[in-house]
Amino acid sequence: MVLLLNKTDKHNDLICYLLNFEHQAIAMKLGLIEESDIAITEDRLYQAIGVIDYYSRNSDEESKQIVIVLSSILYTYKQNHWTGLNQFLVIVLSRIGFAPSAIMVDENYNNENNTFSALHSFISQISTTLNQLKNEIFINNQLYLLTDFQKSIWDISTESKFLGISAPTSAGKSFVILLKCIDNIIKRGGNIVYVVPTLSLINQVVNDFHDKLKEFSLDHYEILTTYNENRNSNIIYVLTPERAISAYNENDKPFGDVNSFIVDEIQNIERLENEKDERSKILFDSLIELSFSYSPDLIIFSGPRVTGLKSLGFDIFQEVNSNELSAISSPVTNFTYSILKKGNKYFFKQYSQINNDCSLIEIQNTDYLKIGGKQYDDKYLSYLSIIINKLGVDSTNIIFSPTSGTARKIAIELANKNAIANSKLSLEDLIKYVSNTVHPNYDLCKTLNNGIAYHHGKVPSHIRNVLEFAIKEKMIDTIVCTTTLMQGVNLPAQNVIMRNGYLSTRSIQGEMPKLTNYEISNLRGRAGRLLKDFVGRTFVLDENAFDNQTEKQGDLFKDENKDLQSGYGKIFTSNKSNITDAVFNNMSNENLRSDVGKDSKFLITYIRYNILKHGMNCVKRLNSVGIDFTNEDIKFIKDELEKELEVPSTICLKNRYIDPLVINDIYLNINSFIIPTNINENNLSHHFFKLVGQIKSKYPNYYSNYFDGDLSESFFYTVSHWMREKPLNKILSGDYFNDSNNIDSKIDTIQKKICFDLTSMLKPFYSIKNSESSILSCIEMGGYKSLTLQLISLNIPREVALILSETIFSKLNINIQSLDDAFVKAYIKSNINDIDFWNRIQLQHLL
């Protein structure tokens, strides 16, 4: 075993002993080897205390990791008579700057006063207090105790205008960013713009901000999740990149006086050069827009294990006063365990953050193991079920699934194999809520009986909300997730379980799509959370599925960083002939050759949009993102474009990701399209069916950006039901939806194809025909009544909004067409006790 630090043999011997002890203990817990009485001996305890004390006096990252790993092992396997251990751990953890971890081991920590219990030694008390004092911060006399890394974020963000933060998932970076935002608005005022990658993460950030606003009595601040042109002060915007960029369609400086600008999960920008990933381009585009329209006091880019943030910040914001902070060490110990087959033998392997190599234990009990294969058959699911049962009822487990369908299958089979419901759970009301608001035969109703849930993009938003609440409250102990887990959704768990790194159960065009090493590192980082767990463990149930023949053995599950680079330079260079040919010759994207890819079409539209919006001033913008055109080039393109366009430029600017020449053609032919503008008109679904059919016939390439093949008329029945406020459980009524596959398919159709793709495709038609029409908002939000749309705009899920409209708001005797947000919030608050619990918990951000 080769350790990270080349220290004495005595130290290495002790470290190996404790790692092997943890390894054996977990192997026995999983029933892989025979049970035996093992315990850390008194001699080894005293040696461990000496080694931990030695490394706690060093300041390097590797030493800190040795302290946290060895401390967590002692704490996990402590014996009753080790009465002084907790106090010793408080001392050393405070010494290395991990005071929040020290809180977890201090059984008498006073949460109300934020004070540790007294230590036996007066000298130790003074020393520990001094170590903790250096990491204390105060916001309006409220004390917070941070790690060294968190304190560095706090200090440097006070001194710098741009700060890039890279750290393991469990390092607590989001928490200190939240505190800094609150401190900034208390001291200076202004607005916050906080960009997150997905709608799922919006709710988490909104709730975190709400708690802090409430704690500091900042009642004059409002949290918005969409742009509101009627508000421009005392706002915290929590937005996806799509919502952030759409605000610029309405205003050149839409967010008022921006104090702080935060981008969480910035690693998503790395996929900029992936032709299929438009979200990364939209994220980058929103950053460029903000860099030219604002100069915030503080800009933070944050992500797990990323490099190049300082350069990225300079490239986009040209900010000289920039800094970058990264942390290797985590305040949570993370072990990765895997099962490997070699010949006829099976081995249980351990990887840790203080070990360059891995250790192996030969497995004695191999009967239930299932190595090899890709299908989630009964043999594998029995294997998985046994692993979960062995981990025990007190552990919370996240199981990674390659697809949403497989996630549901895994959850069902685990529930079937664990027929006795967990008696500590009281989920009858939650099951009833899912049944009433989705469908009685929705598979979640079955799996929740056993404390098992699945979480993926096809689960309705109101159900994802209540699941996340139940998971945090430890009402659910096993969650099967897809890649939504890697987008920052915080589901606290001690264990992450994955079979392999595949993202499919079958080959696609001869290849198995799979997670990158970086994504696997991110996934493993979801095991264990700061202030929640001292140890997080990842279990890989089939290491043979990983192609590690060319890798060093210890590199297979090694933490990996991602280097971030910005700009369209590579895309532009590799597609320059297609792009220049189109923009110099005014060729519409609709009429380009079939071999011209999405990247070329995106940049053609991007160039034309910037020319229309910024004129000759766009040269600097285009050059800053790697599109190398001269002033003369832009002048020529601009002149030719203006000769061609008859459509008002304002319409093009409201549709920034659609080629202006395509919009121009739509403008010239708009009267040939029958466009519904009244939600109450007869045969609404048929009119939409005919309109989309016309679009497909007239603009096949444009249509193919959103849909493959024809859309049936029944698709538009769903559109009509959705926008006319038919509850989801009514849309899903009928025998057809007794099958959860059909439920998932319909929900996916609504959330992706209807709310996003259809509204995006129809937007230029409505911009031209009737820009005042609310039809698209009705389709996107799933409502048409002013109260419903208002409730949804307050970040209330659509199904909850419909329930509130039919219950507490039905009692109002005033005109509900003209209620302001303040009244709506106050009314919900005054009637909160009349709202069902599972709806109520989704309204906490308004109370």
Side-chain angles (χ1 to χ4, degrees), residues 332-496:
V332 176
T333 296
N334 195 296
F335 289 107
T336 297
Y337 289 101
S338 67
I339 294 177
L340 174 73
K341 184 180 181 182
K342 283 186 175 181
N344 294 321
K345 293 184 177 182
Y346 293 83
F347 296 92
F348 186 54
K349 299 172 68 174
Q350 179 197 64
Y351 300 84
S352 83
Q353 64 243 56
I354 62 171
N355 186 354
N356 275 339
D357 207 342
C358 60
S359 62
L360 291 85
I361 293 176
E362 185 174 348
I363 297 173
Q364 299 165 348
N365 305 321
T366 63
D367 292 344
Y368 71 86
L369 302 183
K370 163 67 168 153
I371 303 298
K374 302 181 181 76
Q375 299 306 309
Y376 284 71
D377 53 18
D378 189 67
K379 173 74 173 173
Y380 171 74
L381 292 168
S382 296
Y383 168 31
L384 175 61
S385 178
I386 292 170
I387 290 287
I388 292 170
N389 287 329
K390 296 285 187 182
L391 288 172
V393 295
D394 294 326
S395 66
T396 304
N397 311 301
I398 289 175
I399 301 169
F400 174 71
S401 167
T403 66
S404 58
T406 305
R408 185 163 47 80
K409 177 181 178 180
I410 291 171
I412 294 167
E413 291 302 318
L414 290 179
N416 290 339
K417 294 177 186 304
N418 180 22
I420 301 174
N422 191 336
S423 60
K424 76 176 181 180
L425 303 177
S426 53
L427 293 174
E428 286 184 10
D429 285 345
L430 176 56
I431 294 168
K432 184 178 178 181
Y433 181 77
V434 174
S435 174
N436 289 342
T437 61
V438 183
H439 195 285
N441 289 343
Y442 194 39
D443 283 331
L444 264 177
C445 299
K446 306 170 190 174
T447 65
L448 285 171
N449 265 319
N450 296 83
I452 298 169
Y454 51 86
H455 184 291
H456 53 68
K458 296 179 183 178
V459 174
S461 61
H462 72 293
I463 300 300
R464 286 203 301 268
N465 288 346
V466 297
L467 288 179
E468 289 167 18
F469 174 86
I471 292 163
K472 289 172 186 175
E473 294 298 313
K474 298 191 174 180
M475 301 169 72
I476 295 172
D477 50 27
T478 298
I479 314 101
V480 191
C481 288
T482 57
T483 51
T484 54
L485 183 63
M486 293 183 293
Q487 294 297 326
V489 177
N490 185 7
L491 302 178
Q494 290 84 38
N495 306 310
V496 169

Side-chain angles (χ1 to χ4, degrees), residues 713-765:
E713 192 156 1
S714 64
F715 174 91
F716 297 97
Y717 296 154
T718 304
V719 173
S720 176
H721 294 326
W722 177 253
M723 63 194 297
R724 285 174 167 170
E725 301 191 5
K726 191 171 187 177
L728 182 62
N729 67 328
K730 300 297 184 186
I731 293 175
L732 299 174
S733 62
D735 292 343
Y736 178 78
F737 293 107
N738 288 333
D739 182 339
S740 264
N741 285 314
N742 296 335
I743 294 175
D744 274 358
S745 177
K746 180 63 73 175
I747 292 170
D748 189 46
T749 293
I750 292 171
Q751 294 184 159
K752 184 178 184 299
K753 295 297 181 183
I754 293 176
C755 293
F756 185 75
D757 290 335
L758 182 63
T759 55
S760 298
M761 186 181 73
L762 293 179
K763 189 178 177 185
F765 293 86

Side-chain angles (χ1 to χ4, degrees), residues 1 6 32 113 127 216 220 319 325 411-412 474 490 549 639 650 676 682 740 838:
M1 182 177 286
N6 185 22
L32 300 175
N113 298 321
S127 173
F216 289 99
H220 57 298
E319 180 53 57
L325 266 179
I412 294 167
K474 298 191 174 180
N490 185 7
Q549 294 180 355
D639 290 344
T650 54
N682 293 327
S740 264
W838 293 105

